Amino acid sequence: MTEQYVLDLQEVDETQVAVVGGKGAHLGGLSRIEGIRVPGGFCVTTDAFRRIMAEEPSIDDRLDQLARLNPDDREAIGRLSAQIRRTIEGIAIPGDLAAAISRALAQLGEQAACAVRSSATAEDLPTASFAGQQDTYLNVVGPTAILQHVSRCWASLFTERAVTYRRRNGIDHRMVHMAVVVQQMVFPHAAGILFTADPVTGNRKVATVDAGFGLGEALVSGLVNPDVFKVRHGEVIAKAIAAKQRAVHALPAGGTQEVAIDSQRQEQPALTDAQVVRLVQLGRRIEAHFGRPQDIEWCLVDDGFQDGFQIVQSRPITTLFPIPETGDQENHVYVSVGHQQMMTDPMKPLGLSVWQLTAMAPMHVAGGRLFVDATRRLATPASRAALLDVMGRGDPLVRDALETVLDRDDFVPSLPDTDPGGPPARGASAPIETDPAIVIELIERSRASIAALERDIRTKTGPALFDFLLEAFEEHKRVLGDPLNMQAIMAGMEATWWLNDKLQEWLGEKNAADTLTLSVPDNVTSEMGLALLDVADVIRPHPEVVAFLEGVEDEGFLDELGKLAGGAEACDAIEGYLDRYGMRCVGEIDITRPRWRERPTTLVPVILDNVRNFGPGAAERRFEQGRQKAQKKEQDVLSRLRALPDGDRKADEAKRMIDRVRTFIGYREYPKYGIVSRYFIYKQALLEEAERLVQANVLSEKEDIFYLTFHELHDVVRSNQVDDQLIQQRKDAFRSYHALTPPRVLTSDGEAVTGAYRRDDVPAGALIGLPVSAGTIEGRARVILDMAEADLEAGDILVTAFTDPSWSPLFVGIKGLVTEVGGLMTHGAVIAREYGLPAVVGVERATRLIRDGQRIRVHGTDGYVEILP
C-alpha cells in the first residue's frame, strides 16, 4: 500500500480518524455538511508521523521508559517527554515528505497565513475529548515556518500533560499517532465556542454560545470573560454581556498579539441576538450530522457571505450524562436507583440486566446506571404527594430536585387523581401486629427459598440453566414482594418516622429514634460488623498469624494460614465468617463485582484494624452497651411524656411505637441480604457456564460474560458464538462511564437536577447534609474510597462517597460517618444509628472538600459538618 502523506480536507471524513486524527476527521466531516463553511486546508497524515518516528530509533527506548514510569512521577515524566519532543523537532523532514506538504500549501497560496493544528488519533472521541492536550499555532506564514510548526505538532504528542492524560486513561503511547491539520487562517471580528447542549445542566434543548472580539484564542486561554447567550427553541432566553477589555489579533508578518479594545466597544455584545440564533441553527445541523451534542469553535468573518460564520472545530461534549432511551418524544423524569441503593458507580451490562430482571419496578439504563421513570407518579396529586413524602424523608435533595422540575408547569403532565398512576399513599398498607415471631418467620421463609435455589441450580447447565434462572428470578421477586415482607419493612420505617415527628413535637427532641434503635435484634448487617470483631478475638492471641496476615497479597492465603501456629483456628473463624457473609462486597447490587468469598483479602485490613484497636469480647460489649443506652433513653422519654398534659396517653402511644421499631427496624436490612445471597448463587452458576465457553474457545476469558446482558449471554450459550467486537465496545464504554457523575434526578431533556437543602440554620462555611444519626463528634477525617485500603484508628471519622452493607465492618472502629450519598433509611444510616455513630449523609462533594487527615466536627443531630482549623 502506498503511503499517503497529505490529504485535502475535502477528501476526508469522520471515519478516517486513524489517518488524519480526531480533529482532521471531524473537520473533513464538517466540510461535507450542507450550509457549513470550513476554512480550506489539508491534513498531514499519520503515515508521515510514523515515517518521522522511524527516522530516530532512540525514541523507541524512551517510549519503553515512559511506559514504566509512575503516572504521579511528574518530574521524571517531564524530563523524559521533553527529551522525546526535542528529538522529534530535531529530525529533518525527508525531501519527498517536505515536497508533498509544499505542493498542498501552494494550492492555498504559498504566502497564505495558516493555522497549524495537532490532530491525534486519540482525540475528540465520543468518550474522551483530550481537549487542550496537543498544540495549535495560529497565523503561520511561508513554507519554512509551516514545516517547522508541523514538526512542533508532532512533538506535542509528548507534552507532559498529554503523556499524563494518556497514562491516567490507560492509553498506550505507541497506539496514538499524530496527524497535522494546516488550514487557511481566518481573521474574524468575533469568535468563540458554541455548546449545542448546556454544559452545566446537561439540558440538550438549551444551547450556550460564548463570544468575544477577535480570535477565539482570547476566550480559550482565559484572557477575557466572554459574552454568554443561552438559546432554547430558536430564542435567546438569557444573556450576560461581559466587559471585554482585550482581544487577540493576527500580525501581518505572522504570529498573534494581544490588543486593548476601545472603551466604547468593550461592553457591546460581540454578536447580535439574530446572529446567535443563526449560529445555533448551524450548530443543530452539525449535531444532527454527528449524532451527539457538540462543542464547536466558530468565527464570524466579514467576507461578503450572508452570515459570515465559519466553523474551525467540532468535537463531542464528553461530560454530559446520557439520557435513557425511550423511543418516544414525551417528557420523562428519572430518579437515580444508585442513590437509593448506595451504589453510584457504573455497573457492567450483566449486572444492570440481572438487577432489572429481579427488581420490583421497571428500570432504565443510562451511563452504566439505573433509573426509575417517576413521570406517572408525579402526574396525579395523590401519588405525587406520596412520592415526594417518601423521597423527602429518605433524601431531601431528591425531593427538592423533583419539586424543581414540577415548578416548571409545562414539563410533567397533570392528570386527575382517578388515574391509577401510583401506589397508595404511605401508611395505607394494612398494619401488622408488633410480634417478633413475624420477623423470625420471614427470615425462615427467605432461608428456605435460598436453600432450594442452591439445591436445584446444581444440576442445570447450558440453555436449561437460563430457563431455570428466569423462573428463579420470578421466585426472587415473589419473596421480595410478599405482602408480609413489605408490611414488616414499612412497620419499622413508619415507627421511626412517628417517633421522630411526635417526640420532636411533644418533647422538642430531634431524631430521638436514633438512640431508641441502638442494638436492635435481627439486624444482619450490624451483626456482620460485630462478627468480624469475634474473628479478631480468635486471631489476636497468635502473633505468627497476625504477622502472616500483615503480608497477605494472594487470594489463596487461607491454604497457607492453616499451617501456622494458631492458623487452623484463625482459618475456621474466617471461613465461618465467609460462609455467612462471603456473598457481600462493595457495590453488591452489581452481580459482576468480586464477592468477599472470591476476594477474601478485602477483609484482611479490617480484621487487622480490629486486632489492633479492640480488646477481647468487644462485640458483645458493644451490643450490650447500645442496648442499655436505648433502654435508658426509653425510660427517660416515657417519664418525661407522663409529666405532660394527657401524658399517660402520649407515653402509652410512644411505648407502643418503641416496641414496634425495635421489633421491625432490624429486619429492614434482611431483604438486601437475601437478594445478595441469591446473586452469589446465580453468579457462580453463570461463571461455570462461562468456563465451559472458554474451554470451547467461544470466549477468551470468563469475565467477558460481564459485558453481555443476561439475554445476550443466553444467546451465546445457545449458539456457541459471540461478537468479540461488541464485548470490546462495552469494555470501552464501561471505562468511560467512570468519568460521569450520575445525577439524583435526570430529565428526558438531559438536564441533571441536583436539588438543594435550602437551610439557613447552619454556620457559614459548614458543609450541609442530612442528619441521620444523632450526636456531635470531633476527630480526624479519613477520606477512604476503597474499603480494602482502609487504615483506621480508634476515634477516626470515615468520609466516603457512599456506603453499602459491606462497609459495616469498618463502622465498629470509627466514631462518626460522612458520606456524599445517602438517605434516612439507607444502609449506612441504619447501621450508624444502631452503632450510635453521629452521621451526616448526602454531603455533596464531601470527599473533595474534606482532606484526608483534617480535623472535622460532625453534627449528626443537625445535619452539617464543620472543617476545623
Side-chain angles (χ1 to χ4, degrees):
M1 189 178 100
T2 330
E3 276 139 345
Q4 280 190 295
Y5 294 135
V6 174
L7 287 171
D8 191 276
L9 270 181
Q10 300 282 342
E11 297 177 77
V12 300
D13 63 24
E14 56 271 31
T15 63
Q16 289 164 276
V17 172
V19 182
V20 294
K23 190 175 290 143
H26 269 78
L27 283 166
L30 280 166
S31 64
R32 291 160 179 253
I33 306 171
E34 194 183 337
I36 301 298
R37 294 167 57 220
V38 175
F42 60 89
C43 300
V44 182
T45 67
T46 52
D47 282 345
F49 174 74
R50 277 189 285 269
R51 166 99 181 262
I52 288 296
M53 295 291 274
E55 297 277 320
E56 184 48 79
S58 70
I59 293 175
D60 235 22
D61 299 335
R62 289 189 179 135
L63 287 180
D64 284 339
Q65 291 173 45
L66 204 54
R68 287 195 294 269
L69 289 178
N70 183 322
D72 297 321
D73 190 348
R74 291 190 57 180
E75 194 184 330
I77 288 174
R79 193 171 56 248
L80 199 52
S81 49
Q83 288 172 9
I84 296 171
R85 287 198 305 280
R86 278 196 301 275
T87 305
I88 293 171
E89 285 185 43
I91 297 169
I93 297 178
D96 58 335
L97 177 47
I101 295 170
S102 297
R103 275 196 303 277
L105 194 57
Q107 301 288 311
L108 299 177
E110 267 208 8
Q111 292 307 307
C114 292
V116 183
R117 315 172 74 191
S118 311
S119 179
T121 53
E123 177 185 76
D124 296 351
L125 305 176
T127 54
S129 74
F130 288 72
Q133 296 306 314
Q134 281 90 36
D135 291 350
T136 285
Y137 302 96
L138 298 177
N139 202 31
V140 183
V141 181
T144 308
I146 297 275
L147 289 171
Q148 184 186 10
H149 284 84
V150 167
S151 285
R152 282 188 188 168
C153 282
W154 286 329
S156 78
L157 191 62
F158 297 99
T159 60
E160 186 182 330
R161 66 180 183 270
V163 166
T164 305
Y165 189 94
R166 287 196 293 275
R167 284 302 306 271
R168 293 201 188 289
N169 284 277
I171 294 164
D172 182 348
H173 302 301
R174 279 194 175 76
M175 300 309 291
V176 185
H177 300 114
M178 181 66 85
V180 182
V181 176
V182 180
Q183 261 180 304
Q184 212 150 11
M185 188 66 194
V186 178
F187 301 102
H189 52 253
I193 298 161
L194 156 63
F195 297 97
T196 64
D198 189 317
V200 178
T201 67
N203 194 325
R204 310 304 202 263
K205 290 187 177 166
V206 175
T208 302
V209 175
D210 289 3
F213 295 122
L215 291 165
E217 203 59 21
L219 266 59
V220 175
S221 63
L223 180 67
V224 296
N225 288 327
D227 297 339
V228 180
F229 301 85
K230 290 193 182 294
V231 176
R232 184 184 177 111
H233 300 318
E235 193 183 328
V236 175
I237 55 168
K239 60 181 162 182
I241 307 305
K244 299 169 287 296
Q245 294 169 342
R246 305 188 73 68
V248 174
H249 284 178
L251 293 168
T256 60
Q257 74 172 53
E258 286 178 31
V259 294
I261 293 177
D262 185 15
S263 58
Q264 280 87 44
R265 275 188 74 213
Q266 284 180 10
E267 299 205 20
Q268 284 180 4
L271 296 177
T272 65
D273 282 10
Q275 286 172 323
V276 170
V277 170
R278 172 68 186 136
L279 176 60
V280 170
Q281 285 173 348
L282 296 175
R284 292 282 177 229
R285 200 175 285 185
I286 294 167
E287 178 183 67
H289 175 83
F290 289 118
R292 59 177 61 230
Q294 298 287 301
D295 161 355
I296 298 165
E297 290 179 30
W298 57 269
C299 298
L300 180 62
V301 188
D302 190 5
D303 57 2
F305 281 85
Q306 184 191 350
D307 56 30
F309 283 112
Q310 295 207 33
I311 305 301
V312 293
Q313 187 162 342
S314 184
R315 57 173 163 251
I317 308 174
T318 57
T319 54
L320 298 176
F321 200 86
I323 306 169
E325 287 177 22
T326 55
D328 63 36
Q329 297 303 306
E330 304 296 313
N331 287 347
H332 295 272
V333 182
Y334 301 101
V335 177
S336 161
V337 172
H339 285 80
Q340 317 296 314
Q341 289 292 337
M342 299 295 89
M343 162 63 179
T344 54
D345 289 348
M347 293 166 68
K348 297 191 178 93
L350 187 65
L352 291 164
S353 65
V354 171
W355 189 263
Q356 284 175 299
L357 287 164
T358 53
M360 303 304 287
M363 291 183 182
H364 303 263
V365 175
R369 278 80 168 188
L370 290 164
F371 293 86
V372 170
D373 188 345
T375 321
R376 292 272 293 191
R377 295 277 301 275
L378 292 168
T380 69
S383 63
R384 180 189 313 139
L387 181 67
L388 291 175
D389 182 29
V390 170
M391 289 296 175
R393 287 181 179 276
D395 183 344
L397 291 177
V398 173
R399 176 177 183 140
D400 189 75
L402 290 172
E403 286 177 332
T404 303
V405 177
L406 287 166
D407 285 345
R408 299 169 195 156
D409 296 335
D410 57 340
F411 196 82
V412 176
S414 204
L415 301 171
D417 261 337
T418 49
D419 182 77
R426 179 177 64 77
S429 55
I432 51 173
E433 291 302 309
T434 302
D435 180 358
I438 292 172
V439 172
I440 293 164
E441 183 192 339
L442 282 166
I443 290 174
E444 198 38 58
R445 280 188 202 177
S446 176
R447 281 185 186 149
S449 175
I450 290 166
L453 169 67
E454 206 162 11
R455 183 189 65 236
D456 297 344
I457 204 169
R458 285 183 192 141
T459 57
K460 306 293 187 290
T461 60
L465 169 67
F466 288 82
D467 295 338
F468 172 81
L469 281 171
L470 287 170
E471 287 174 28
F473 295 164
E474 291 309 309
E475 165 68 1
H476 178 125
K477 287 194 278 192
R478 191 195 62 71
V479 171
L480 271 185
D482 178 340
L484 195 60
N485 182 48
M486 304 309 288
Q487 287 168 318
I489 292 169
M490 287 312 293
M493 288 164 67
E494 286 171 349
T496 305
W497 294 331
W498 188 96
L499 285 165
N500 280 338
D501 291 349
K502 290 296 185 187
L503 296 181
Q504 178 150 16
E505 181 191 328
W506 292 339
L507 299 175
E509 281 239 10
K510 280 186 183 174
N511 305 333
D514 295 1
T515 310
L516 293 165
T517 53
L518 289 169
S519 298
V520 295
D522 301 312
N523 187 323
V524 70
T525 308
S526 62
E527 286 165 7
M528 177 169 74
L530 297 174
L532 210 55
L533 287 174
D534 292 335
V535 173
D537 284 356
V538 175
I539 288 166
R540 195 178 293 106
H542 304 291
E544 208 181 325
V545 170
V546 174
F548 170 79
L549 289 176
E550 279 166 349
V552 154
E553 285 178 9
D554 180 57
E555 296 301 343
F557 73 91
L558 288 169
D559 297 336
E560 297 300 309
L561 181 61
K563 300 170 188 170
L564 306 175
E569 298 96 302
C571 227
D572 288 348
I574 294 171
E575 284 285 359
Y577 187 86
L578 289 172
D579 286 345
R580 179 107 206 260
Y581 304 111
M583 77 297 285
R584 308 221 83 150
C585 67
V586 173
E588 59 193 10
I589 70 167
D590 182 351
I591 196 172
T592 73
R593 289 285 191 110
R595 311 282 136 178
W596 290 344
R597 173 52 84 186
E598 297 168 305
R599 200 174 283 176
T601 52
T602 310
L603 294 173
V604 171
V606 194
I607 293 170
L608 290 169
D609 280 350
N610 288 351
V611 167
R612 193 173 63 242
N613 295 335
F614 294 92
E620 202 175 331
R621 252 193 331 277
R622 286 287 295 269
F623 190 80
E624 187 51 31
Q625 283 165 356
R627 201 183 62 75
Q628 286 180 13
K629 206 169 166 188
Q631 208 167 13
K632 192 161 166 256
K633 181 71 173 177
E634 177 180 331
Q635 288 162 355
D636 169 58
V637 162
L638 296 179
S639 64
R640 285 163 60 201
L641 286 173
R642 285 199 182 95
L644 297 175
D646 198 16
D648 286 345
R649 180 188 62 80
K650 288 173 179 167
D652 288 348
E653 281 187 36
K655 171 64 176 154
R656 237 188 352 266
M657 283 300 177
I658 292 168
D659 289 348
R660 196 163 176 77
V661 83
R662 290 192 68 81
T663 299
F664 290 115
I665 200 66
Y667 179 71
R668 161 81 180 77
E669 292 292 297
Y670 200 87
K672 182 77 168 280
Y673 176 76
I675 290 170
V676 177
S677 299
R678 288 172 176 282
Y679 266 27
F680 193 34
I681 298 167
Y682 305 154
K683 181 182 188 179
Q684 288 169 307
L686 290 170
L687 282 173
E688 282 175 28
E689 208 53 49
E691 183 58 49
R692 279 189 280 280
L693 292 168
V694 171
Q695 297 300 324
N697 293 321
V698 176
L699 291 178
S700 51
E701 54 186 30
K702 280 197 303 187
E703 283 74 19
D704 282 353
I705 67 166
F706 297 161
Y707 297 93
L708 298 169
T709 67
F710 180 83
H711 292 303
E712 288 166 349
L713 179 54
H714 192 177
D715 289 341
V716 170
V717 167
R718 269 199 296 251
S719 66
N720 262 353
Q721 287 181 309
V722 73
D723 181 346
D724 292 325
Q725 210 174 347
L726 176 69
I727 288 175
Q728 191 51 53
Q729 281 168 3
R730 294 271 176 80
K731 286 180 179 179
D732 293 343
F734 178 70
R735 257 199 306 275
S736 75
Y737 295 150
H738 282 279
L740 301 173
T741 302
R744 281 176 167 81
V745 171
L746 178 69
T747 73
S748 47
D749 285 353
E751 185 178 1
V753 193
T754 48
Y757 283 108
R758 308 192 192 282
R759 287 170 52 191
D760 50 15
D761 58 344
V762 295
L767 309 180
I768 303 176
L770 178 66
V772 294
S773 186
T776 302
I777 192 78
E778 276 184 29
R780 178 179 70 154
R782 294 311 316 269
V783 180
I784 295 171
L785 298 176
D786 181 351
M787 183 181 151
E789 287 166 20
D791 178 17
L792 294 163
E793 289 174 18
D796 283 346
I797 296 169
L798 174 62
V799 179
T800 190
F802 56 81
T803 64
D804 59 12
S806 70
W807 285 73
S808 59
L810 292 185
F811 283 25
V812 297
I814 57 174
K815 284 291 195 303
L817 173 71
V818 178
T819 68
E820 294 180 342
V821 175
L824 194 63
M825 283 298 168
T826 48
H827 304 277
V830 172
I831 304 307
R833 286 196 289 275
E834 189 157 325
Y835 285 170
L837 305 174
V840 180
V841 302
V843 179
E844 291 278 86
R845 299 174 58 238
T847 59
R848 279 166 281 182
L849 296 172
I850 300 170
R851 287 198 314 277
D852 188 49
Q854 269 184 324
R855 284 195 69 75
I856 60 173
R857 186 182 296 130
V858 177
H859 295 263
T861 309
D862 294 312
Y864 63 91
V865 180
E866 290 178 285
I867 298 174
L868 302 175

